[in-house]
Each structure stands twice: as structure tokens, then as C-alpha cells.
Amino acid sequence: MCIYCNFRNLSSSLPQTASQQARAVDSLTGAEIAANAGVSQSDIGKRGVGDSLYPGFGNGGYDVQDYDVNLNITNVATSELTGITTIKARATQGLKRFNLDFIGLTVDSVTVNGKPATFKRKGQELIITPSALLRQNAQFNVQVKYSGSPKQITSVAIPVPTGWVTFDGGSFVLSEPDGAANYYPVNDHPLDKAPYTFRVTVPKPFEVAANGVLKNTIDNGDTTTFVWKARDPMASYLTTVNIGDFNVQTETGPGGLPIRNYFAVGVSETLLEPFALQPKMLGFFSDIYGPYPFDVYGSLVVDTETGSALETQTLSIFGIDSLGRASTEETVAHEISHQWFGNSVSLADWRDIWLNESFATYSQGLWIEYSQGGAAFDEWVAGEYDFVAGSLDELVPPGKPPADDLFNSGVYDWGAVGLHALRLKIGDDAFFDTLKTYFKRFEGSNVTPADFIAVAEEKSGRTLDSFFDRWFYSETLPTLPQSRVTADILQGETGVNLSGFDGKSIKVSVKVTEDAPSQNVGGFYAIDNPYGVVVDSLTGNRIAPGEQGYAIAALGQSVKTLDVGNNRFQLTGGLYYVPYLLAKGKPQNFYSPFTAANQDGLDHVQVPSTGIYQFEDRLGLKNKDFADFVVQINVLSVA
């Protein structure tokens, strides 16, 4: 969710749990919490999964395998509907009684495995007693028929409408952390993710946009049924069903990813311009985090205020109040990045919301670094730090949000600054390797901070408990670490990182060797970011690896041609320096550590040890034999 992208949501609430107590809970992994949730020695499913902030959220005793939500909206103006939700689940214990979360609406009947079940309601609990005991590990089906108009609720975590919200011209669903239960019965906690099918019938000419892929559109005469399938497991708060009059725009993202946008009719094209960047954002985050985890993406804009944007899975939702701001582009990037961190890699406990929001907020900064360069990124970091430092009396540490202020800016801005501090401490290579490994290892799973910390320690080779205590659980804001002149920080997989030494002169030695004499030519080109993006010196355009004109632009930023033997020279701090090779001296045979930038799109660079870049023919392409052109660089001094 991007609350703070609309306004700085501050609170005077202070956390009640001590830092050490929080870290003790965090020593459990997401898998352990999921395994322990709702365990009961009786045959009665537990109310709530034991979330530390919201103990009543979700229910125990079963694991949902699939939802089929069938809604017939008879009056869009009032959201009057009849619904049939069918749930396939597996009993994780013997069950003679279990609960679903369900708010408002009238329950007309409940069946379990096709047989009538007795039920009663208490608060948000729908308490179901099947006609026969459900044995542990048994698969069972629950079908709930209901009717009425969804009752708008105000979240316990933030004072904005959540769940199904009706407005003049349609309705939308935005449900973090609670709200999904106001339009279908559900196990309402991220620990129990499941695939979904939505079958929504509306009067003509209204349309429906929901999560996943539109599988079918059925013309019923006066009504239309839209069938949406979200095949990847999804947390309930990420479900969305939206009714209105939309302009549908489609395009193709990286790797052929389908992108479909649903923009409310009448919204200015100018306000929608930031969404044109979605394909490039998806490509960028796929490069640094790992492959996009779902089969489709897009955004939905409703022509009303929503109070926030939300990363609803595969179809992020924006209100008109999220558009037309200087920060709108960042908000679009924020919600896209959540598809990796928050949607695919999901929290196990709501107290650890920083695992979602700090990552998404820092992703905004990374997008700025990629699209605008290092100076713009440094300005962004400084602004984030200054904001946190000047608002400490109103912020909470990222790892200690209170239940009534879950989306305090501390979990966004403070947490993002903490992630940047981690990057400075362990270096770019270890940091980005941590992010990519963390996503790959826990894709589709639930996590706690212990999972992330373990990966960061593994990739950096350092013990980081005290670091995370200081940055994410202490009420005192630490000073950002300074870059250090050490080989593991300065010399990485893609070149020499001197970004932390703006205004300084760095003396380096470079030794170049070849296995055999050749006409190969090597050198360094300078960039202002760690992603390989170059600036065309003639046009000022930023060109990413793989985009047309990259090699020519990179050669235009060349700062040194390398001769075989020993070379000593000075580099200017504040930039990244990337080694390159022109095989046989020809610009069309341009190779760098950024694989996408190479003319054949293949990896031709090995980094056998720190500061050594070995250009060679890794695939036996004899017409491009680099004769093992090796560049070995050492930083001598910084002045």
C-alpha cells in the first residue's frame, strides 16, 4: 500500500513491545509460523491465527486450497448482490466446528461437502458446524450463499474505507489489512493464500476488472458475466473486484508479459502518463529482484478518491487522488515492486509490515537511481533521511508499528533508509545478491524478518543482528554508514563502484594480459548508477543495457583505453566504472559485464575473484575469440 505517497501519515503512537521481545518473535521463520498457526488439541478450529497485532484475524484448523467467488450484482448504485462462495480446503486437524471471517450481508445457507451445515454469527465470525466430523488432512468443500449490500467498513489499522466500497458510478475493493470479509467469506490472513476464480455478473453496460486473467465474458442479454482467474496463491487483502465504465489498454511487457490497464472513462490522459512506464519498471525490477512472479500485470484507476493506492495482486488499484502528483511515478513503481515483496513473498505476521513497505519504498529510490541517475538518487536518500530525522516524535521504528497505526511512515521511510544503510554496509554486490536470493528462496511463501536477515548474513558473510536491531527496532535513528575504501566494496561483479566518493580523486592500477597477441581493445566507461544505464552524450537520453544505441553511448562515456601491461591513472569519484572490450577492436563486437548490453546478448565476462574481469569466448565462438583478455584492477588511494 502507498498511503504516504498520498500524504505523510503520521501518528504520535509509540510501540509498546521492546526491541528484544520483537527480535525474539522474529527468530521464528515464516514457515514455522505458518506451521504453528491455528494448532489446536481439540476438534474446534481456532478463532484467529495468533497474529501479534490482530489476534482475531484469520482462523485455524484448515488450509484453503481454492476460492470460487460468484457474485450477481443486481443494482450497481447500491451494490445489491447475491453471492455464492465455494471454498476448497484441507483440514489440518480434526474439525467438528470451524470459522470463516464474514462481515455484514445475510447468510442464506451453508453446506459442507454438499450437506447442510448449521451456522451462527458472532462479530466478524461465521461459525460453521458440519453434519459430520472432518478428519485431519481430509479435503472438504464449503459453500456459502448470501445476499445484501456490502457494508463499508473502516480499517482497524488506518482511517480509510476498506473492503467493497460503493461510489457514484461503480464500486471498488481495497482491503489492506482487513476488508475482504465484507464481500465474501474468507480465511482473512496472509498465512492462508490460495488461488481465486471470480465470476461477477453486472447489468450492461458496466464492466468488471479483477485479479488475474480474464478467462471469459458471457453475454446474458441484459447482463454480462466476467470470469477472472488468479491462478497463483493470493492473500485475501490483495483481492479486488471493480465495477465501472473503463477504457481498457493492453500492451506487452518484458518477456512477453501481458499488461492490461483498466482506466475509468473520463480520466485525463495526462494524469495517466506515468503508467506508460510500467513495462520498463517491470523489466528493471525483474533484472534486480528476479523474474516477475505472476502471469499478468496492470493497473486500475477509478474516478473517485480511494485514500491510498494498493498493490492488489496483478492489478494495482489507484484512486483519482493518487494521480497528478509529483510522486505519482514513484507510486506506480512502489505498487509494481510489491508484486515481488508483499504479494509473492508475503509476511507471516502483520507486525512485520516493513518487509512489504520498506522494500517497496526503497524500490522507489532504486527506480529513481535507474531512471534519473546517482545524483537524483542521492537527493532522494537525503530527503528520506531528513524526513525521518525531523519526524522521530511522530514515527515508530519500522519493526514496531502499533495495531491502530499499521501504516505509520516509519515502516515506509525509516525502513527504506534502513535498507539503504544495509546496502552501504555490505556493498552493492552482496546487497543485490541478497534481494535476488531472498526472493528466489521464498517466492510464493510467507516470511519473517529472520528469513531476510539470514539471507543478508549468508551473502555478506557478516553477523547483522545488531545492525537490524539498531535500524529497524530501536527508537533512535542511527547515522548512515560511510563507504569504505576496501576491495570488497569498491570492486564488484560489474565494475568499480566509486559512487560514495563524490568530489574525490581515486588512483588505480590496472594490469591487462592476453593469452595471445590480438587486436582487442579494452577500457572503462563511466555511469551514474549500478544498473549499467548510460547517458548519450549527444542527446542526454538514458539508455539501458539491451536498448538500441547502448554500445555507442557507452563508448561515448569511455574514460580510458587500456593497453596490455601495467596501467596507472586516476578516476573521478561519484561514478561507477564498467570495463568493456571491443573484440578485434570492432565496436560491433562490444562486450561488458552487463549481459543484455552485449551485441549477442550472451555472457562473455567472468569474475573469478575480486577486481578481475576476464573477457573470453565462453561458448566456443571462434569468430569472437578474446584470447582471454584479462583486466585486473586495484584501488591505490583516495584523495
Side-chain angles (χ1 to χ4, degrees):
M1 179 178 283
C2 196
I3 297 292
Y4 95 106
C5 298
N6 285 356
F7 54 90
R8 296 287 192 179
N9 180 37
L10 306 180
S11 168
S12 58
S13 301
L14 291 176
Q16 300 301 311
T17 307
S19 177
Q20 287 303 109
Q21 291 175 318
R23 296 289 291 116
V25 173
D26 289 340
S27 66
L28 291 175
T29 65
E32 289 168 336
I33 288 182
N36 293 336
V39 173
S40 173
Q41 299 303 311
S42 70
D43 291 331
I44 298 176
K46 185 179 179 181
R47 175 187 177 275
V49 297
D51 189 275
S52 62
L53 291 184
Y54 311 111
F57 280 20
N59 300 283
Y62 60 91
D63 177 27
V64 175
Q65 308 295 303
D66 181 79
Y67 288 95
D68 188 303
V69 181
N70 190 331
L71 304 173
N72 181 15
I73 290 80
T74 55
N75 187 332
V76 172
T78 62
S79 293
E80 188 74 23
L81 61 80
T82 58
I84 303 174
T85 291
T86 303
I87 301 171
K88 296 179 181 178
R90 179 183 63 86
T92 57
Q93 64 179 75
L95 286 176
K96 63 182 180 183
R97 193 177 78 197
F98 61 91
N99 291 12
L100 292 170
D101 298 298
F102 198 37
I103 301 169
L105 298 168
T106 299
V107 176
D108 299 315
S109 67
V110 178
T111 62
V112 177
N113 291 334
K115 297 180 179 180
T118 60
F119 63 90
K120 63 179 180 179
R121 306 187 70 173
K122 184 176 181 180
Q124 72 174 39
E125 300 295 320
L126 174 59
I127 304 166
I128 299 171
T129 304
S131 60
L133 175 72
L134 301 172
R135 297 190 180 278
Q136 185 174 6
N137 292 322
Q139 301 287 332
F140 65 97
N141 294 337
V142 182
Q143 186 177 87
V144 181
K145 295 183 178 181
Y146 51 98
S147 58
S149 296
K151 179 182 178 182
Q152 181 173 311
I153 64 174
T154 298
S155 172
V156 299
I158 185 173
V160 299
T162 59
W164 184 295
V165 178
T166 306
F167 67 96
D168 185 15
S171 58
F172 66 86
V173 171
L174 188 154
S175 299
E176 188 178 21
D178 50 348
N182 89 327
Y183 76 102
Y184 71 104
V186 58
N187 195 14
D188 200 8
H189 193 278
L191 278 174
D192 198 0
K193 303 197 290 187
Y196 280 78
T197 300
F198 298 96
R199 310 173 195 273
V200 186
T201 301
V202 291
K204 290 181 177 178
F206 289 100
E207 299 169 280
V208 177
N211 308 91
V213 175
L214 180 60
K215 289 294 188 179
N216 202 3
T217 303
I218 304 169
D219 188 340
N220 306 311
D222 293 335
T223 65
T224 308
T225 300
F226 297 83
V227 181
W228 290 84
K229 178 67 176 178
R231 68 173 186 172
D232 294 293
M234 177 165 56
S236 52
Y237 78 90
L238 296 171
T239 63
T240 190
V241 174
N242 307 277
I243 299 172
D245 186 10
F246 301 108
N247 288 321
V248 183
Q249 297 182 6
T250 60
E251 55 187 328
T252 302
L257 176 73
I259 299 175
R260 76 284 185 261
N261 299 312
Y262 282 72
F263 298 141
V265 170
V267 176
S268 165
E269 289 293 328
T270 300
L271 294 178
L272 299 174
E273 287 177 357
F275 296 99
L277 294 169
Q278 289 179 140
K280 183 168 282 191
M281 290 176 176
L282 286 160
F284 169 60
F285 291 132
S286 294
D287 286 342
I288 64 172
Y289 296 149
Y292 177 73
F294 306 118
D295 51 6
V296 68
Y297 185 69
S299 291
L300 177 135
V301 173
V302 291
D303 195 9
T304 190
E305 295 186 359
T306 59
S308 67
L310 183 63
E311 63 275 12
T312 37
Q313 192 160 304
T314 74
L315 186 68
S316 297
I317 181 172
F318 300 78
I320 200 70
D321 48 333
S322 295
L323 308 186
R325 299 169 175 268
S327 61
T328 298
E329 181 179 323
E330 288 186 47
T331 307
V332 174
H334 182 108
E335 308 309 341
I336 288 178
S337 69
H338 267 310
Q339 305 303 311
W340 283 263
F341 301 117
N343 295 11
S344 180
V345 179
S346 304
L347 53 78
D349 190 289
W350 278 111
R351 190 196 57 176
D352 301 322
I353 186 68
W354 72 267
L355 290 172
N356 294 9
E357 300 303 347
S358 299
F359 279 61
T361 303
Y362 194 60
S363 294
Q364 297 171 216
L366 297 181
W367 170 252
I368 289 172
E369 185 178 33
Y370 173 82
S371 63
Q372 299 178 37
F377 174 68
D378 291 343
E379 184 179 346
W380 181 86
V381 171
E384 289 291 290
Y385 189 92
D386 289 347
F387 166 71
V388 175
S391 308
L392 288 177
D393 58 337
E394 298 172 304
L395 300 184
V396 298
K400 301 166 71 174
D404 62 351
D405 193 15
L406 181 66
F407 301 107
N408 181 281
S409 287
V411 306
Y412 293 82
D413 304 270
W414 193 337
V417 173
L419 289 177
H420 186 63
L422 176 65
R423 178 180 174 182
L424 293 176
K425 183 174 181 65
I426 67 177
D428 276 9
D429 282 4
F431 178 76
F432 286 107
D433 195 11
T434 293
L435 297 182
K436 189 168 284 189
T437 302
Y438 173 63
F439 171 70
K440 183 177 181 180
R441 187 169 297 172
F442 297 107
E443 181 178 0
S445 303
N446 296 88
V447 291
T448 69
D451 297 311
F452 179 62
I453 294 170
V455 176
E457 291 183 332
E458 172 189 329
K459 294 302 176 181
S460 67
R462 302 184 184 194
T463 300
L464 296 170
D465 277 344
S466 62
F467 171 87
F468 279 92
D469 278 334
R470 289 195 309 273
W471 276 99
F472 293 89
Y473 297 94
S474 170
E475 295 176 13
T476 302
L477 178 67
T479 301
L480 278 171
Q482 297 297 310
S483 296
R484 298 182 295 118
V485 187
T486 58
D488 61 324
I489 295 294
L490 293 179
Q491 300 162 45
E493 292 289 326
T494 56
V496 184
N497 176 4
L498 303 179
S499 62
F501 298 92
D502 193 23
K504 296 184 180 295
S505 179
I506 292 84
K507 186 178 293 186
V508 298
S509 70
V510 180
K511 182 179 180 180
V512 178
T513 59
E514 292 181 308
D515 275 3
S518 70
Q519 298 175 332
N520 294 338
V521 176
F524 288 98
Y525 61 96
I527 57 178
D528 61 4
N529 63 93
Y531 315 110
V533 178
V534 297
V535 178
D536 189 313
S537 59
L538 295 178
T539 65
N541 293 335
R542 299 182 68 81
I543 305 175
E547 294 182 341
Q548 187 174 2
Y550 183 89
I552 298 301
L555 292 173
Q557 301 297 322
S558 178
V559 296
K560 183 67 178 179
T561 300
L562 300 175
D563 301 317
V564 174
N566 294 314
N567 303 260
R568 289 198 176 198
F569 50 90
Q570 290 186 337
L571 296 173
T572 301
L575 297 169
Y576 296 79
Y577 292 89
V578 182
Y580 70 88
L581 176 75
L582 303 183
K584 308 303 182 185
K586 298 179 179 180
Q588 62 267 32
N589 294 335
F590 173 90
Y591 300 101
S592 91
F594 293 99
T595 302
N598 298 336
Q599 296 293 337
D600 57 9
L602 300 176
D603 183 5
H604 290 277
V605 183
Q606 292 179 326
V607 185
S609 62
T610 299
I612 297 178
Y613 306 93
Q614 180 172 306
F615 293 81
E616 66 173 355
D617 178 4
R618 298 188 64 184
L619 299 181
L621 304 175
K622 296 184 182 301
N623 62 328
K624 294 190 177 72
D625 184 357
F626 302 158
D628 293 328
F629 189 92
V630 180
V631 176
Q632 182 173 348
I633 182 168
N634 289 297
V635 174
L636 299 177
S637 64
V638 177

